[in-house]
């Protein structure tokens, strides 16, 4: 890929470079054709005019042409201006020849008649190697419909809607930075987690607007003022237009002050201090983003916090090496004396780093008081956070347990630009797999020990309340610890929790073969069912995958196909098919096992709440006497 980039860049730029290099000698010769008497003055004048032109040209290009016309039209206009100037100069010097005019006219026609750029491929983000590999292997297939595309002064902003109409994503320079589907837990918790951890949050700053969901979530809490620093005005425009259905429309809230400014510059030029600062830049390997992950930036931010202020940093763990993840956490830890790490949901590969100069206490009563407000409770529910105990399941580590995992090593500073230069290499090396990060699971089975410590207040007993919330976040080892504590004090309600845990941990080997009028006489179904009964799941799945419209023939077909995808660990596909099966109440009543397998598949797909709800429904439907 990079070899191809070099070749293409060379073919595009080398002729222009040679031509531009010839301009100054030709100008000098044109202005002083009769010898060397005036050459010094001519060269000086040419250089002076060139310098003025470079200053004016770069300003007009960056601050006028780019935001008003965009990259594509801007390039076309620049080409037409250059061609027109060349023709005019040749004509003015009375040296115009017909071939030259013909060439110029042909260039103008080419520029005007050239096909428009395909924005979907232009903003596809093929700098991400796994996307580029997919194009090389399978050809270019657009992932969505472009519904917004603008070139701003700082970045190019695109909004795409999925081709099935479900899901809208915001792209910055081709990189998806926000969406209204999978990113919701991260966006909601980024906004509300530090607010829940601060004793009296009044003034909040958010660096990076994104979809506007995080700032909108902050405004659901009783804060007095919210500032947002976003470097690109087009992000505001895109978010306010296409994410108003999920972001609570922060611009309409009188408490919000939205600035177009670089985050670091905002902190340096505003002397106000904040109770909470939330920094949610793009990935560290994106151009410019690494400067928001340095000790220098964290120190500036810490200096703008009030004494009990809380700082939250969103850190993306994917496409980064273990060493660089450790470096980023170590850098954060070097500035903030007290650090807590959370994940937006147990299956997320994002990290929410909370730092403060004073100890941060996770107080259940404080969180419960916030959640007593309908606006906060509803916002948190959209992020999968339904009870104060959920925060225990999202807790990863604190500074007391962090040191053995990240160890000693370099810090990321403005001077060494360590991440600026190493993270782009990770983008290539870790394009298909995530780095091993043992600290993410280090606390599994030990969360109740953390609850016993000074960081957490008011989370037990009753232990079954905590056990249920931990079960809904998939922390099974911690669920068992909570059950043991509940059993020791003889809390009521143990059988239900233990039954649900058995559902989650149980193994199933009963196939879902249905013989009715919808499957009778269907040779594809017969062959797939026979392979399943012979314990040849791969052969059965080959039949189901290869038979045209197999899942659409009936609910029985869809159930078998979903079951086979589930057994083959294709959980995304299984979940999608099971969703359509369990939506049919009559079919579910006749075949309750569909609830069981749907719940299991959805659990393995990381949606514990929804999966457990289906398992509970199965248990109720199959309970004796029901």
């Amino acid at each position: 890929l990079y070899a191809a980039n070099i070749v293409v860049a060379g073919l595009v730029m080398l002729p222009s470079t040679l031509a531009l290099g010839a301009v100054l000698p030709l100008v000098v010769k044109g202005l002083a054709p009769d010898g060397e008497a005036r050459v010094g003055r001519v060269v000086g004048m040419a250089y002076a005019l060139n310098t003025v032109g470079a200053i004016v040209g770069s300003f007009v290009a960056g601050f006028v042409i780019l935001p008003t016309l965009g990259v594509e039209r801007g390039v076309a206009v620049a080409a037409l201006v250059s061609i027109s100037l060349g023709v005019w100069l040749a004509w003015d010097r009375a040296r115009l020849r017909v071939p030259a005019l013909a060439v110029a006219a042909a260039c103008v026609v080419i520029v005007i008649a050239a096909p428009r750029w395909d924005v979907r491929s232009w903003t596809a983000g093929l700098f991400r190697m796994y996307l580029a590999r997919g194009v090389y292997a399978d050809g270019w297939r657009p992932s969505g419909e472009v519904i917004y595309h603008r070139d701003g002064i700082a970045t190019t902003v695109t909004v795409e809607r999925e081709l099935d109409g479900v899901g809208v994503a915001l792209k910055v320079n081709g990189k998806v930075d926000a969406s209204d589907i999978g990113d919701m837990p991260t966006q909601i918790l980024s906004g509300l987690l530090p607010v829940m951890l601060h004793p009296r949050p009044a003034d909040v700053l958010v660096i990076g607007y994104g979809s506007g969901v995080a700032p909108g979530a902050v405004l659901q809490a009783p804060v007095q003022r919210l500032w947002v620093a976003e470097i690109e005005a087009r992000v505001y425009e895109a978010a306010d237009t296409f994410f108003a259905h999920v972001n609570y429309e922060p611009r309409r809230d009188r408490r919000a002050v939205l600035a177009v400014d670089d985050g670091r510059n905002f902190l340096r030029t505003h002397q106000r201090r904040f109770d909470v600062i939330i920094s949610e830049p793009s990935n560290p390997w994106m151009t410019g983003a690494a400067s928001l992950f340095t000790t220098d930036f964290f120190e500036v931010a810490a200096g703008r916090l009030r004494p009990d202020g809380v700082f939250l940093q969103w850190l993306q763990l994917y496409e980064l090496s273990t060493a660089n993840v450790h470096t980023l956490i170590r850098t954060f830890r070097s500035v903030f004396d007290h650090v807590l790490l959370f994940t937006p949901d147990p299956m997320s590969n994002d990290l929410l780093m909370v730092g403060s100069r004073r100890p941060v206490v996770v107080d259940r009563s404080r969180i419960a008081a916030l959640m007593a407000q309908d606006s906060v409770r509803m916002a948190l529910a959209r992020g999968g956070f339904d009870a104060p105990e959920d925060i225990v399941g999202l807790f990863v580590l604190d500074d007391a347990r962090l040191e053995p995992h990240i160890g000693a090593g370099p810090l990321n500073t403005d001077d060494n630009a360590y991440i600026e230069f190493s993270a782009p290499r990770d983008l290539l090396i870790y394009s298909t797999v995530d780095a091993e990060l043992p600290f993410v699971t280090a606390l599994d089975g030990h969360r109740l020990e953390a609850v016993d410590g000074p960081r957490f207040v008011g989370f037990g007993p009753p232990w079954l309340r905590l056990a249920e919330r931990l079960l809904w976040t998939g922390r099974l080892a911690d669920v068992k610890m909570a059950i043991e504590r509940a059993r020791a004090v003889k809390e009521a309600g143990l059988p239900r929790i233990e039954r649900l845990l058995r559902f989650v941990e149980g193994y199933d080997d009963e196939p879902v073969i249905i013989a009715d009028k919808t499957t009778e006489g269907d040779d594809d179904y017969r062959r797939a069912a026979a392979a399943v009964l012979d314990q040849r799941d791969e052969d059965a799945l080959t039949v189901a995958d290869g038979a045209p419209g197999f899942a659409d023939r009936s609910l029985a077909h869809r159930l078998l196909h979903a079951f086979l995808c589930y057994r083959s660990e294709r959980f995304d596909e299984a979940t999608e098919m099971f969703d359509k099966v369990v939506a049919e109440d009559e079919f579910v009543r006749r075949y309750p096992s569909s609830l069981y397998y749907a719940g299991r598949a959805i659990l393995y797909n990381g949606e514990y709440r929804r999966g457990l709800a289906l398992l509970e429904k199965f248990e109720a439907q199959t309970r004796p006497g029901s």
Side-chain angles (χ1 to χ4, degrees):
L1 178 68
Y2 275 79
N5 283 348
I6 291 171
V7 171
V8 170
L11 291 174
V12 170
M13 291 190 290
L14 183 60
S16 299
T17 302
L18 297 176
L20 288 170
V23 168
L24 187 62
L26 289 173
V27 168
V28 171
K29 183 176 181 180
L31 294 177
D34 301 324
E36 299 181 359
R38 299 171 53 216
V39 70
R41 181 177 180 180
V42 166
V43 170
M45 180 61 69
Y47 263 107
L49 291 174
N50 183 70
T51 300
V52 173
I55 295 170
V56 173
S58 61
F59 176 82
V60 171
F63 291 93
V64 179
I65 294 178
L66 188 62
T68 56
L69 299 179
V71 173
E72 181 182 1
R73 290 191 178 92
V75 168
V77 167
L80 288 172
V81 168
S82 295
I83 294 168
S84 301
L85 282 173
V87 172
W88 177 75
L89 287 170
W91 191 293
D92 186 61
R93 291 288 173 173
R95 296 172 183 174
L96 182 66
R97 297 178 180 178
V98 174
L101 181 60
V103 170
C107 290
V108 171
V109 171
I110 290 172
V111 169
I112 295 175
R116 296 294 306 273
W117 296 356
D118 181 1
V119 174
R120 290 179 300 184
S121 57
W122 173 243
T123 60
L126 295 187
F127 51 83
R128 306 180 80 171
M129 185 62 77
Y130 79 92
L131 291 174
R133 281 181 176 143
V135 171
Y136 273 81
D138 305 322
W140 170 244
R141 293 197 303 268
S143 60
E145 171 196 5
V146 175
I147 56 178
Y148 176 91
H149 178 75
R150 296 288 188 277
D151 296 304
I153 292 175
T155 59
T156 293
V157 180
T158 309
V159 179
E160 290 185 1
R161 179 181 289 117
E162 293 297 322
L163 294 178
D164 59 5
V166 179
V168 179
L170 176 83
K171 287 184 172 182
V172 174
N173 287 343
K175 161 69 173 57
V176 175
D177 271 345
S179 72
D180 64 351
I181 41 176
D183 292 319
M184 287 302 290
T186 301
Q187 296 170 124
I188 292 287
L189 266 295
S190 293
L192 284 175
L193 179 61
V195 172
M196 291 191 293
L197 296 179
H198 192 282
R200 294 170 303 279
D203 298 317
V204 180
L205 168 66
V206 176
I207 297 174
Y209 193 65
S211 63
V213 172
V218 171
L219 290 170
Q220 302 315 295
V223 301
Q224 294 179 9
R225 184 71 70 178
L226 169 72
W227 284 263
V228 179
E230 166 58 54
I231 197 171
E232 177 52 63
R234 299 295 191 185
V235 170
Y236 284 127
E237 181 180 288
D240 292 343
T241 304
F242 297 100
F243 290 88
H245 62 293
V246 291
N247 68 12
Y248 300 102
E249 299 185 278
R251 189 178 294 277
R252 294 179 179 272
D253 195 304
R254 293 181 178 180
R255 295 171 295 167
V257 178
L258 309 183
V260 178
D261 200 350
D262 170 72
R264 291 183 66 151
N265 185 66
F266 186 93
L267 287 170
R268 288 186 178 279
T269 56
H270 289 70
Q271 298 306 309
R272 179 180 296 274
R273 293 184 180 271
F274 303 94
D275 298 300
V276 172
I277 298 177
I278 299 164
S279 177
E280 43 177 13
S282 190
N283 299 58
W285 37 258
M286 288 291 287
T287 301
S291 66
L292 294 180
F293 292 92
T294 65
T295 55
D296 308 74
F297 169 68
F298 292 144
E299 286 169 356
V300 170
R304 290 290 176 266
L305 285 172
R306 291 181 177 135
D308 56 354
V310 174
F311 181 90
L312 181 139
Q313 176 71 54
W314 172 33
L315 173 61
Q316 306 88 345
L317 301 179
Y318 50 92
E319 294 167 291
L320 279 177
S321 67
T322 304
N324 279 340
V325 170
H326 289 175
T327 295
L328 290 166
I329 298 174
R330 192 185 304 118
T331 301
F332 188 80
R333 175 74 176 88
S334 71
V335 173
F336 294 100
D337 300 323
H338 302 277
V339 173
L340 300 177
L341 304 184
F342 295 87
T343 182
D345 68 78
M347 301 298 290
S348 175
N349 49 12
D350 291 325
L351 199 64
L352 302 178
M353 301 191 295
V354 176
S356 180
R357 295 287 175 83
R358 293 184 178 179
V360 178
V361 176
V362 185
D363 190 332
R364 186 189 184 282
S365 62
R366 185 189 306 156
I367 298 173
L370 270 176
M371 294 188 72
Q373 302 182 37
D374 290 342
S375 59
V376 176
R377 184 178 65 257
M378 292 172 65
L380 286 170
R382 293 170 61 198
F385 193 105
D386 299 310
E389 285 73 19
D390 287 335
I391 199 169
V392 179
L394 302 179
F395 180 56
V396 176
L397 275 180
D398 59 14
D399 45 79
R401 297 172 175 83
L402 190 59
E403 304 297 343
H405 295 282
I406 63 173
L411 302 179
N412 184 42
T413 70
D414 284 353
D415 287 343
N416 66 22
Y418 188 87
I419 294 297
E420 184 86 29
F421 290 98
S422 60
R425 296 176 63 188
D426 293 348
L427 181 61
L428 305 181
I429 298 169
Y430 293 90
S431 57
T432 56
V433 296
D434 289 333
E436 294 292 330
L437 300 170
F439 74 84
V440 173
T441 57
L443 207 61
D444 288 351
H446 300 280
R447 280 185 171 78
L448 266 64
E449 298 172 18
V451 168
D452 294 335
R455 294 289 195 187
F456 288 81
V457 175
F459 284 92
W463 299 111
L464 287 185
R465 180 177 64 188
L466 181 57
E468 181 168 1
R469 306 314 302 185
L470 288 169
L471 183 60
W472 281 48
T473 52
R475 306 298 191 184
L476 304 186
D478 299 301
V479 172
K480 293 176 182 177
M481 286 186 63
I483 288 176
E484 289 304 315
R485 292 193 180 189
R487 182 178 290 114
V489 296
K490 299 180 180 180
E491 287 185 16
L494 268 171
R496 174 175 171 271
I497 297 295
E498 291 175 327
R499 187 166 57 249
L500 285 173
L501 184 59
R502 283 196 298 272
F503 276 137
V504 174
E505 294 188 316
Y507 177 75
D508 48 279
D509 56 5
E510 294 295 328
V512 283
I513 308 299
I514 296 175
D516 62 12
K517 63 181 181 180
T518 66
T519 61
E520 185 179 349
D522 189 315
D523 188 55
D524 293 327
Y525 191 91
R526 181 190 59 77
R527 289 190 297 122
V532 170
L533 293 172
D534 288 342
Q535 297 183 349
R536 293 183 288 111
D537 286 356
E538 290 187 12
D539 294 340
L541 188 57
T542 300
V543 173
D545 285 340
F550 184 87
D552 296 325
R553 297 179 190 180
S554 75
L555 288 173
H557 287 77
R558 185 177 295 277
L559 177 60
L560 179 58
H561 200 173
F563 171 78
L564 292 170
C565 288
Y566 156 67
R567 290 286 287 268
S568 298
E569 299 185 2
R570 287 161 46 179
F571 299 124
D572 282 336
E573 297 169 75
T575 295
E576 184 178 351
M577 284 189 270
F578 274 127
D579 282 343
K580 295 180 180 179
V581 171
V582 298
E584 300 294 332
D585 293 336
E586 179 58 32
F587 185 84
V588 167
R589 278 193 293 270
R590 292 174 58 195
Y591 305 106
S593 59
S594 59
L595 289 170
Y596 178 78
Y597 290 114
R600 302 270 295 163
I602 292 169
L603 281 174
Y604 284 120
N605 204 39
E607 299 179 65
Y608 272 85
R609 286 170 172 77
R610 203 155 65 89
L612 281 166
L614 290 174
L615 290 173
E616 283 195 291
K617 188 175 179 181
F618 167 77
E619 190 272 335
Q621 195 164 318
T622 56
R623 188 185 306 144
S626 62

